Amino acid sequence: MKTIDELLTEGVEGRRVFVRADLNVPLADGLITDDGRIRAVLPTVKALAGAGAKVIVASHLGRPEGAPDPAFSLLPAAERLGELLGAPVAFAQDTVGPAARGAVDGLEPGQVAVIENLRFNAGETSKDDTERGEFADRLAALADVYVGDGFGAVHRKHASVYDLPKRLPHYAGYLIATEVGVLKKLTEDVSRPYVVALGGSKVSDKLAVIDQLLGKADRILIGGGMAFTFLKAKGYEVGTSLLQEDQIPAVTEYMARAEKQGVELVLPVDVVVAPGFPDLKTKAPTEHTAVAADQMPEGQLGLDIGPKTGELYAAKLADAETVFWNGPMGVFEHPDYAEGTKAVAQALVESNGFTVVGGGDSAAAVRTLGFDENAFGHISTGGGASLEYLEGKTLPGLAALED
């Protein structure tokens, strides 16, 4: 995989460099609520612009249905990128049409343009190789060189991620190089004890990574909505909590395998329950209580790991040399159900080991709850991509850069 440093050595003065970034930021009423992914691509964009490249930044945002949708416009991300760069950023209101061509043609060396959401064109996500290839051809006509730096999208076989680098000289940006380096530390020559904390809502999203980690991790801590399928598999009442009944056989098998392989699979000893789901908009106080994990009342909804579990998980993380955390421990967006996630985050902050926050909701939780990002070894920008890498899958976007 060639890196951006090699490209800079070759020289980029006046060359059109297409940067596939991940600007898929969360929006509320058109405002960015977490700009972490924009800040993550800054080193690559700054280096290229500083070397005199004409930089074309492209990304997806959300899941528009292959057609323009104002709700998913990249304009707010483009404006924020300009603020962070401290320089004007041109914005094209289409992806490969006259606006994009005009924006690119108008660039002077060292300037930056952002083109509109790639997913406004059906060719970006098409499963048809020909349709996807045709869109990649039109993107390729905008540029001379390709730099892949959208780690959050490298597990997708999309036109801008997989097909476009095949059509241009291609290099990995600083973010992708960093992410791959971190993931190698989690899969090759790992410092032990190696502790993994997994949360989030659906156990089905994490089964494949648990399968892989049973042969690598020393301890796996389970939290979030997915914990209730494990607790149900142990025969516990889980009330109205999130439950994937069809996953109970798989979960039961993994618990047995963990015991056989000497992997400590740790489940909540208490949970925070409430009569219903809280209002995340007003964040109004709710009626809630902590109960033992094997004493959940019928009709109650589990929304966080309990305080005893928070202490237990902190203790299990205390001596770790390597930690990977993916998925919040509860509904951290509401203050009544954020304590479990805070406990795990604080344990990582206090750890002397190499700590990785595995993207997605975990990264958002760290920022939302006010933790200093620099207190963690690495905060990933790609939850799904990180998980698939740890599962041992080939990621199309990385494979394309390796050619």
Side-chain angles (χ1 to χ4, degrees):
M1 190 185 292
K2 288 185 180 178
T3 67
I4 186 175
D5 284 333
E6 293 174 80
L7 172 60
L8 293 170
T9 300
E10 293 169 15
V12 292
E13 177 79 33
R15 299 172 78 185
R16 301 171 302 165
V17 181
F18 188 104
V19 177
R20 195 347 176 151
D22 178 10
L23 308 181
N24 185 28
V25 291
L27 297 170
D29 300 321
L31 300 175
I32 297 169
T33 59
D34 181 0
D35 67 357
R37 284 177 169 162
I38 302 174
R39 287 184 286 111
V41 79
L42 279 178
T44 290
V45 174
K46 282 182 174 178
L48 290 167
K54 300 176 179 181
V55 186
I56 307 140
V57 180
S59 176
H60 70 286
L61 193 152
R63 296 178 183 270
E65 300 297 319
D69 183 338
F72 296 108
S73 174
L74 274 177
L75 179 58
E79 291 174 341
R80 181 61 180 147
L81 178 61
E83 291 171 3
L84 293 168
L85 289 172
V89 168
F91 180 69
Q93 294 182 325
D94 59 28
T95 55
V96 288
R101 293 194 298 272
V104 173
D105 289 345
L107 289 175
E108 297 292 332
Q111 291 185 337
V112 179
V114 174
I115 62 175
E116 186 55 285
N117 191 336
L118 293 163
R119 291 186 183 174
F120 284 2
N121 189 303
E124 169 67 2
T125 58
S126 176
K127 292 192 173 10
D128 181 270
D129 291 349
T130 302
E131 184 180 13
R132 220 175 47 247
E134 287 173 353
F135 182 49
D137 288 338
R138 297 178 71 189
L139 289 172
L142 297 174
D144 306 306
V145 182
Y146 176 93
V147 172
D149 215 32
F151 181 73
V154 293
H155 58 315
R156 306 292 188 195
K157 192 176 181 180
H158 290 170
S160 65
V161 176
Y162 178 75
D163 302 273
L164 182 55
K166 296 175 180 292
R167 288 158 167 78
L168 294 170
H170 45 270
Y171 302 80
Y174 290 126
L175 175 61
I176 279 188
T178 298
E179 294 273 13
V180 171
V182 165
L183 288 168
K184 283 185 175 177
K185 285 176 110 173
L186 296 177
T187 52
E188 304 168 13
D189 194 26
V190 179
S191 296
R192 297 185 179 281
Y194 178 18
V195 184
V196 176
L198 295 176
S201 55
K202 292 183 178 179
V203 70
S204 56
D205 293 341
K206 304 290 193 328
L207 283 179
V209 77
I210 293 172
D211 184 49
Q212 287 292 315
L213 290 169
L214 282 174
K216 296 183 175 73
D218 298 299
R219 293 179 207 129
I220 301 176
L221 317 179
I222 303 293
M226 63 182 282
F228 297 103
T229 301
F230 281 85
L231 295 174
K232 186 71 172 179
K234 286 177 70 78
Y236 296 169
E237 170 64 49
V238 297
T240 58
S241 306
L242 186 63
L243 174 65
Q244 288 187 282
E245 199 102 37
D246 60 324
Q247 302 298 332
I248 288 176
V251 163
T252 303
E253 181 201 337
Y254 286 162
M255 288 194 292
R257 270 180 57 198
E259 187 173 0
K260 187 176 179 181
Q261 293 176 228
V263 177
E264 197 178 350
L265 187 63
V266 190
L267 302 181
V269 293
D270 63 343
V271 294
V272 178
V273 299
F277 201 81
D279 185 333
L280 298 184
K281 197 159 191 179
T282 65
K283 295 182 170 46
T286 64
E287 175 191 335
H288 63 282
T289 185
V291 299
D294 60 354
Q295 298 294 321
M296 279 191 67
E298 288 185 27
Q300 292 283 299
L301 174 67
L303 295 168
D304 194 12
I305 59 172
K308 291 179 181 176
T309 305
E311 291 175 8
L312 172 65
Y313 285 9
K316 295 293 183 184
L317 290 159
D319 66 343
E321 288 294 324
T322 305
V323 180
F324 175 69
W325 171 32
N326 182 282
M329 296 291 109
V331 184
F332 73 90
E333 299 92 341
H334 193 286
D336 290 347
Y337 309 105
E339 292 304 314
T341 302
K342 279 185 188 174
V344 169
Q346 186 62 40
L348 266 67
V349 167
E350 295 172 3
S351 171
N352 292 320
F354 178 60
T355 57
V356 179
V357 180
D361 288 340
S362 310
V366 162
R367 298 185 186 107
T368 300
L369 298 174
F371 286 91
D372 179 359
E373 293 179 49
N374 295 320
F376 302 89
H378 179 69
I379 298 180
S380 178
T381 57
S386 297
L387 287 176
E388 290 199 15
Y389 189 101
L390 294 179
E391 289 167 20
K393 291 183 178 178
T394 297
L395 306 188
L398 295 186
L401 291 175
E402 288 168 356
D403 289 346

